[in-house]
Amino acid sequence: MDVISKKEEIEKNGFTIINNIFTEDEIVNLITIIQKADSSNGTFRKTKDLFAIRQFLKEIPDIVPFILTQKLSSIITQLFGTGYAVVKSIYFDKPGDSNWFVAYHQDLTISVNEKTDIAGFGPWTVKQNQYAVQPPLSVLENNFTIRIHLDDTDENNGALRVIPGSHRKGIYRAETINWNEESEVVCGVLKGGIMIMRPLLLHASNRTNNNHKRRVTHIEFSNQQLPSPLLWSEALK
């Protein structure tokens, strides 16, 4: 891995792709652990078009050492330094016949332990007994997400479409995108590869049209401490 070029890509474009991080055997092991999990909890969502697990690493703690491998931890340290920890995790499984799609958006909220009145934090939402809030931009600008791909992903089965550089423009509403100035990139990632992205990067995904699955783990990292009494609700102990 060319660390300097990857850092530059993240700084300039808001994302980078690194393939061949997890082996075939490691991917099979991850899928096996997920399939054995008790899906009766409310954080598990299963429909015809999507299977998702919120608070993924907390719901399936046995999978943590197989996700946060020495190789992945080394990449994080090389690209971002030390002190970063998991603060949110989701597992997505888009079936081969899925019509699920996601319009352009930024990831503007963080998961926290309670709702309280703190300057700069808001609006608030609650979903499945999980509080989420939009924090100050400084928090979002410093965080990053790693998406681990358990299947080959391209434009035919819901690979992310992104607008390079949009992470540097603050809150950027999809309805205000000027396509005369912006360009779109489709982020194909091989099975076992990762995509690293900033939360403020505008991203979207299409419906699947080739009958191929797309399974991804979405893990957010931060090195920041929230103002008391707020805590990262999904921080690993």
Side-chain angles (χ1 to χ4, degrees):
M1 180 182 72
D2 185 338
V3 175
I4 293 177
S5 67
K6 292 301 180 184
K7 284 184 174 182
E8 289 175 347
E9 287 179 11
I10 296 169
E11 174 66 25
K12 178 182 177 182
N13 297 324
F15 72 98
T16 192
I17 294 168
I18 311 173
N19 284 311
N20 302 313
I21 301 303
F22 291 83
T23 67
E24 178 70 27
D25 286 346
E26 288 174 324
I27 294 297
V28 169
N29 191 36
L30 291 174
I31 293 170
T32 299
I33 295 172
I34 293 167
Q35 290 175 337
K36 290 180 178 178
D38 178 5
S39 61
S40 62
N41 197 306
T43 55
F44 287 66
R45 173 184 179 185
K46 193 164 189 176
T47 68
K48 175 181 178 296
D49 291 320
L50 179 72
F51 173 51
I53 307 172
R54 294 186 177 276
Q55 302 181 44
F56 174 55
L57 298 186
K58 290 184 71 175
E59 288 291 342
I60 312 179
D62 289 348
I63 209 168
V64 172
F66 302 101
I67 291 282
L68 303 179
T69 63
Q70 184 175 353
K71 188 170 186 178
L72 188 66
S73 298
S74 176
I75 289 171
I76 292 171
T77 300
Q78 291 179 71
L79 294 179
F80 300 100
T82 59
Y84 281 87
V86 174
V87 293
K88 186 174 183 179
S89 59
I90 309 172
Y91 169 75
F92 296 103
D93 178 349
K94 182 187 286 189
D97 59 352
S98 173
N99 283 318
W100 183 270
F101 75 96
V102 180
Y104 264 110
H105 67 286
Q106 297 171 301
D107 293 335
L108 295 177
T109 64
I110 60 174
S111 297
V112 295
N113 62 318
E114 63 179 281
K115 181 178 180 179
T116 187
D117 186 15
I118 296 182
F121 285 76
W124 291 80
T125 59
V126 60
K127 184 183 294 185
Q128 296 169 328
N129 298 317
Q130 170 67 71
Y131 290 106
V133 64
Q134 183 172 318
L137 273 179
S138 59
V139 175
L140 297 173
E141 288 169 343
N142 196 60
N143 289 0
F144 65 88
T145 296
I146 295 181
R147 294 168 59 89
I148 302 169
H149 286 247
L150 308 186
D151 300 287
D152 291 334
T153 308
D154 59 24
E155 67 275 10
N156 296 308
N157 66 329
L160 284 191
R161 296 159 24 233
V162 305
I163 299 179
S166 53
H167 67 298
R168 295 180 293 166
K169 299 183 179 182
I171 304 300
Y172 195 165
R173 301 299 180 189
E175 61 270 20
T176 68
I177 297 173
N178 183 347
W179 290 110
N180 293 318
E181 298 179 355
E182 305 288 13
S183 60
E184 178 181 271
V185 172
V186 178
C187 300
V189 184
L190 297 177
K191 181 179 182 179
I194 64 174
M195 177 180 176
I196 303 174
M197 58 182 282
R198 293 295 190 182
L200 291 174
L201 179 72
L202 274 166
H203 56 287
S205 65
N206 285 342
R207 296 176 175 87
T208 299
N209 60 33
N210 65 356
N211 206 36
H212 291 174
K213 292 174 70 69
R214 188 203 72 176
R215 291 167 291 186
V216 177
T217 68
H218 169 113
I219 306 174
E220 299 179 18
F221 294 81
S222 182
N223 66 349
Q224 300 175 76
Q225 183 174 343
L226 299 175
S228 181
L230 287 185
L231 296 171
W232 298 101
S233 64
E234 294 186 49
L236 298 180
K237 302 301 183 183

